[in-house]
Amino acid sequence: MDLKRRLFPIAIALAMVAVLFVSWTPNWESPTWLRSEKPYVAFHFDVEGDAAQSVQNLAFDISNRLDVRHEWHRVEDSNAEWQVTLVFAEQQDAVQIDATARRQDKIVDHIVVRGEKAVANELADRIVALLSSRIEKAHKNAD
């Protein structure tokens, strides 16, 4: 009787560990083995060949901002469910960013952001915020 009383808390602890293990195991049917409902997104950046260094810096800044976002998993094309192409065009003192979001080769959204080079930081904020909200919303509605 004394042995049963000593082993009972250990049995409860082992049962709790087993339940936690089962709840944190990956989705066995998923080829990626990740338990996540976040979209898998691949980004492509097209900067015109004659674009100024400031436009290339803007593209690099947006790429860094997209890397640190938590709304998605940034992956390569082969693993991506979503593909986003950002095209940077320079016109005199202005910059235009065209972003096209595709889900499995079907265009879901097209976003155009324009502004002067002096407000490039705001353009980066705007395009990242728009992409985040639109992809997240479309991903939730698609499932």
Side-chain angles (χ1 to χ4, degrees):
M1 185 76 168
D2 192 33
L3 182 62
K4 286 184 181 179
R5 195 178 305 166
R6 288 184 185 176
L7 293 179
F8 188 65
I10 295 172
I12 291 175
L14 290 175
M16 289 176 54
V17 167
V19 168
L20 285 174
F21 174 75
V22 169
S23 68
W24 283 99
T25 55
N27 184 356
W28 298 106
E29 297 170 3
S30 173
T32 59
W33 280 58
L34 292 174
R35 293 192 80 169
S36 176
E37 295 181 6
K38 296 178 184 180
Y40 293 88
V41 184
F43 294 98
H44 301 281
F45 297 89
D46 294 332
V47 180
E48 293 179 348
D50 60 343
Q53 185 64 33
S54 61
V55 177
Q56 293 176 1
N57 290 343
L58 176 63
F60 183 72
D61 181 31
I62 291 174
S63 176
N64 287 339
R65 290 175 190 231
L66 293 171
D67 273 340
V68 299
R69 299 297 290 202
H70 299 287
E71 287 86 4
W72 50 59
H73 298 286
R74 189 168 180 179
V75 294
E76 297 296 322
D77 264 343
S78 59
N79 298 330
E81 176 183 11
W82 291 84
Q83 295 85 22
V84 178
T85 303
L86 291 104
V87 180
F88 296 84
E90 181 182 18
Q91 304 148 349
Q92 295 175 0
D93 288 339
V95 177
Q96 177 175 320
I97 306 169
D98 291 324
T100 305
R102 290 182 173 86
R103 182 171 191 206
Q104 299 167 346
D105 295 330
K106 179 184 170 193
I107 294 177
V108 175
D109 207 348
H110 184 79
I111 303 167
V112 178
V113 176
R114 285 185 203 104
E116 295 180 13
K117 290 181 187 177
V119 292
N121 195 28
E122 290 298 320
L123 293 175
D125 284 342
R126 170 74 50 106
I127 195 72
V128 170
L130 287 171
L131 283 172
S132 297
S133 65
R134 300 242 176 116
I135 289 174
E136 186 176 353
K137 183 179 177 182
H139 186 72
K140 285 182 183 178
N141 291 337
D143 292 337

